[in-house]
Amino acid sequence: PQVWVQFLKCNDEANQDDQFVLVGDAFRLEGGFRDIDDLKNGIAEKMVGDPTLILVYRKEEGAWKRLLPDEKVVLGNTMETSYGFTIGTKRSKSVGPLTGM
């Protein structure tokens, strides 16, 4: 079974209704993805990233909807109906205010 996914980035254009824009071409992942959590791991392997930083979306009624980790994956989607994903960044730990200056 295969699933098509495509990278999303935030849409910075003020006059656009869509929160995200697709970046690059969709790519195919193959495997037994039972749920979105499995799909996040597949994306992380392909993109060499941390799956805990990946958010997966599906376009529904013209808007991107974030999917929860336990939602089922629709296998056999196409490039036109690909899942979208974003990759966040890890936040550094706060050290606190500098003293002694």
Side-chain angles (χ1 to χ4, degrees), residues 26-43:
F27 58 91
R28 182 181 61 231
L29 294 174
E30 298 201 22
F33 305 112
R34 295 179 315 253
D35 55 30
I36 296 301
D37 196 51
D38 285 348
L39 183 58
K40 287 170 56 172
N41 286 317
I43 293 168

Side-chain angles (χ1 to χ4, degrees), residues 26-92:
F27 58 91
R28 182 181 61 231
L29 294 174
E30 298 201 22
F33 305 112
R34 295 179 315 253
D35 55 30
I36 296 301
D37 196 51
D38 285 348
L39 183 58
K40 287 170 56 172
N41 286 317
I43 293 168
E45 286 178 22
K46 183 84 169 184
M47 302 295 292
V48 188
D50 181 348
T52 63
L53 301 176
I54 295 172
L55 299 177
V56 177
Y57 298 82
R58 180 176 51 222
K59 197 141 196 179
E60 293 182 0
E61 299 178 10
W64 289 101
K65 175 191 172 221
R66 182 175 167 196
L67 301 175
L68 299 175
D70 63 344
E71 290 188 56
K72 298 289 180 206
V73 171
V74 177
L75 299 174
N77 67 346
T78 65
M79 288 175 59
E80 291 79 28
T81 61
S82 63
Y83 286 95
F85 69 93
T86 60
I87 301 176
T89 58
K90 289 186 180 181
R91 297 179 188 219
S92 59

